[in-house]
Amino acid sequence: MEKKYTWKTAVCDVVMVLLALLFLYPIILIAMNSVKEGSSIVSTLTSLPKELHIQNYIEAYTKLDYGKALFRSVLIAGFTVVGVVFFSSMAAYKLVRCASWKSSKIIMALLLSSAVIPIQVLMIPLVITARQLSLINTLHGMMMIYIGGSMAMAIFLYIGFVGSIPLELEEAGIVDGAGPFRIFFSIVFPLLKPMTATVTIMVGMGTFNDFMMQKLILLKNDLGTLQVAMQKFYDAYQTDWAGVMAGLVLSMLPMIVFFLFFQKQIMSGMLSGAVKG
């Protein structure tokens, strides 16, 4: 039996469309201004372009050194996600299964307390420590900082999910002669897929879109990521607004493509993680 389309449903649909337009408005505005002249962007930001200046994208692509900058951004985000998922899932499993109740609570409290510390407080100590360890101007140093900074929240998320996995599954693996590593990677870790998707989205998008920490660590121009390279459109006296808008579209494009291809996995992972976590 089909449900009737009532006025309440119509109101909900209208509200959802309006909210969608509200969230999409900044993106539409950027895309619209990315094909306009720089002077017209400053004078009439919300007007439609009279002529399409596609060369804005060509100039932005060249100025950003887009291919290399995108590769470095994806490389840092990819290795950070792998490191965080690998270490935080194992740490959470160990805390839930092997730590005593009191010590587990203490460690969880420490993890939460470290996760709520503002990044601005940690910037100077992080840069000093990175310089002492020769991690400045290195991609692996950037990855290590991101992995360390993301571990606390990822472990906390995994702890709630690991606790929902029945012990009987692991006991069956022990009966079959499986060791701790095989039990974790063959039995437990595949069951963590929904939470792994959630952690991947959070860490991957946060790392890819970050600017401040990458600006502090990657000082050389040949190591700049996509977000850091956007500074090339600004100087002390003027701003290339046409290049800025085209560059913003190019910098958003990878995340948009990623979401379009993996939207089902992203939504199912976030929903499952929210329910079970």
Side-chain angles (χ1 to χ4, degrees), residues 25 28-37 39-52:
Y25 177 72
I28 295 172
L29 197 64
I30 291 171
M32 185 174 64
N33 284 280
S34 66
V35 291
K36 292 164 62 175
E37 289 183 350
S39 58
S40 63
I41 293 174
V42 177
S43 59
T44 55
L45 183 66
T46 57
S47 65
L48 293 173
K50 296 179 181 178
E51 296 180 3
L52 298 180

Side-chain angles (χ1 to χ4, degrees), residues 12 43 105 120 155 159 198 200 212-213 234 242 267 277:
C12 289
S43 59
K105 292 292 184 181
Q120 291 80 3
I155 291 173
I159 282 176
T198 304
T200 298
M212 185 58 68
M213 192 55 63
Y234 303 91
M267 296 306 298

Side-chain angles (χ1 to χ4, degrees), residues 72-121:
R72 287 189 286 266
S73 294
V74 173
L75 185 70
I76 292 173
F79 274 95
T80 299
V81 167
V82 172
V84 170
V85 168
F86 183 76
F87 292 112
S88 61
S89 60
M90 289 195 296
Y93 174 71
K94 191 72 174 179
L95 282 172
V96 173
R97 293 293 189 250
C98 301
S100 64
W101 183 86
K102 185 176 291 186
S103 62
S104 178
K105 292 292 184 181
I106 293 173
I107 294 173
M108 286 177 62
L110 290 173
L111 289 172
L112 275 179
S113 61
S114 65
V116 299
I117 299 175
I119 188 61
Q120 291 80 3
V121 178

Side-chain angles (χ1 to χ4, degrees), residues 246-261:
L248 286 173
V249 173
L250 291 175
S251 64
M252 291 188 297
L253 197 58
M255 286 291 101
I256 294 174
V257 172
F258 174 78
F259 181 80
L260 290 177
F261 275 96

Side-chain angles (χ1 to χ4, degrees), residues 43-212:
S43 59
T44 55
L45 183 66
T46 57
S47 65
L48 293 173
K50 296 179 181 178
E51 296 180 3
L52 298 180
H53 293 268
I54 306 299
Q55 65 270 20
N56 291 345
Y57 285 94
I58 300 173
E59 294 172 1
Y61 186 94
T62 304
K63 199 167 187 177
L64 289 173
D65 196 5
Y66 186 77
K68 293 181 180 179
L70 177 61
F71 173 76
R72 287 189 286 266
S73 294
V74 173
L75 185 70
I76 292 173
F79 274 95
T80 299
V81 167
V82 172
V84 170
V85 168
F86 183 76
F87 292 112
S88 61
S89 60
M90 289 195 296
Y93 174 71
K94 191 72 174 179
L95 282 172
V96 173
R97 293 293 189 250
C98 301
S100 64
W101 183 86
K102 185 176 291 186
S103 62
S104 178
K105 292 292 184 181
I106 293 173
I107 294 173
M108 286 177 62
L110 290 173
L111 289 172
L112 275 179
S113 61
S114 65
V116 299
I117 299 175
I119 188 61
Q120 291 80 3
V121 178
L122 302 175
M123 282 181 179
I124 295 176
L126 272 175
V127 172
I128 294 173
T129 304
R131 191 177 299 277
Q132 292 173 345
L133 296 176
S134 301
L135 298 178
I136 299 291
N137 288 323
T138 60
L139 294 181
H140 67 272
M142 191 74 262
M143 297 172 195
M144 291 173 64
I145 291 172
Y146 278 136
I147 291 173
S150 305
M151 284 286 291
M153 185 56 66
I155 291 173
F156 179 76
L157 292 174
Y158 271 119
I159 282 176
F161 207 94
V162 172
S164 65
I165 298 176
L167 278 171
E168 289 78 5
L169 296 175
E170 299 170 42
E171 292 171 353
I174 295 174
V175 171
D176 291 338
F181 283 97
R182 186 177 177 185
I183 289 174
F184 176 76
F185 287 106
S186 299
I187 299 175
V188 177
F189 188 73
L191 298 175
L192 299 177
K193 184 178 178 182
M195 184 52 67
T196 298
T198 304
V199 172
T200 298
I201 296 160
M202 292 175 57
V203 175
M205 293 186 67
T207 303
F208 186 88
N209 293 322
D210 183 53
F211 167 78
M212 185 58 68

